[in-house]
Amino acid sequence: WNIETLQVQNFTLIKRPETYAWNISWYVYDDANENWIQDEWEKYMAWWKLCIDTNNNDDCEESTEPFITTNNDGYYEFDSLETWTYKILEISHQNWRVTNPIDGYYNVNLQNGQVLTNQDFWNFKYKGNNKK
């Protein structure tokens, strides 16, 4: 290479619009001993579905509401979101219940430029009809 033949290109940073896509993410895991702490032996849960409850009826309706499935590491991420308030729910599984969040969902108010993490869902598998 000859230094004289190299061209320097100028790049301009483009400011993102105010409605740029933010995201909400984190993990779903098995709270096997129901202590609300992720112990090192408790596993993340793959292939669990979560949704954004757009009609606020405390139910995930996959045909009309955005949903996502956790990956092999139990990670989920809703992306391409705008500034808004979102209600995030987990789709129930038989003989499992959500131990965190306590109400079973997150109400998340995304502000401009926000990437929200630590929205974990913890689940406990109960036996029989014991839902507490």
Side-chain angles (χ1 to χ4, degrees):
W1 290 87
N2 182 331
I3 193 78
E4 294 173 4
T5 61
L6 292 177
Q7 295 182 358
V8 176
Q9 295 183 7
N10 292 322
F11 293 94
T12 304
L13 293 176
I14 299 172
K15 185 178 178 185
R16 296 186 283 198
E18 300 227 351
T19 58
Y20 181 77
W22 314 125
N23 71 49
I24 301 168
S25 65
W26 216 239
Y27 293 90
V28 174
Y29 73 87
D30 180 1
D31 186 17
N33 59 359
E34 200 178 10
N35 67 349
W36 296 7
I37 297 170
Q38 186 183 14
D39 299 302
E40 62 184 56
W41 52 271
E42 290 176 323
K43 297 180 181 179
Y44 290 105
M45 303 175 84
W47 309 112
W48 282 55
K49 291 182 180 177
L50 298 103
C51 78
I52 297 176
D53 185 15
T54 57
N55 62 9
N56 205 30
N57 70 348
D58 296 328
D59 192 23
C60 288
E61 297 152 1
E62 292 180 54
S63 62
T64 59
E65 295 176 321
F67 74 94
I68 189 110
T69 304
T70 59
N71 67 12
N72 286 334
D73 298 321
Y75 178 79
Y76 75 91
E77 180 177 309
F78 288 103
D79 60 3
S80 301
L81 300 174
E82 297 182 0
T83 299
W84 194 256
T85 299
Y86 296 93
K87 186 174 189 176
I88 309 297
L89 297 173
E90 183 182 79
I91 296 178
S92 321
H93 288 243
Q94 186 174 358
N95 295 330
W96 288 88
R97 69 179 165 81
V98 176
T99 60
N100 188 62
I102 293 172
D103 294 328
Y105 61 87
Y106 287 105
N107 266 327
V108 178
N109 186 9
L110 280 184
Q111 299 297 317
N112 231 3
Q114 188 171 19
V115 175
L116 189 61
T117 60
N118 294 322
Q119 302 302 295
D120 287 333
F121 281 84
W122 308 344
N123 295 278
F124 174 73
K125 187 170 187 176
Y126 60 88
K127 295 181 170 117
N129 293 325
N130 178 18
K131 293 184 181 181
K132 284 191 180 180

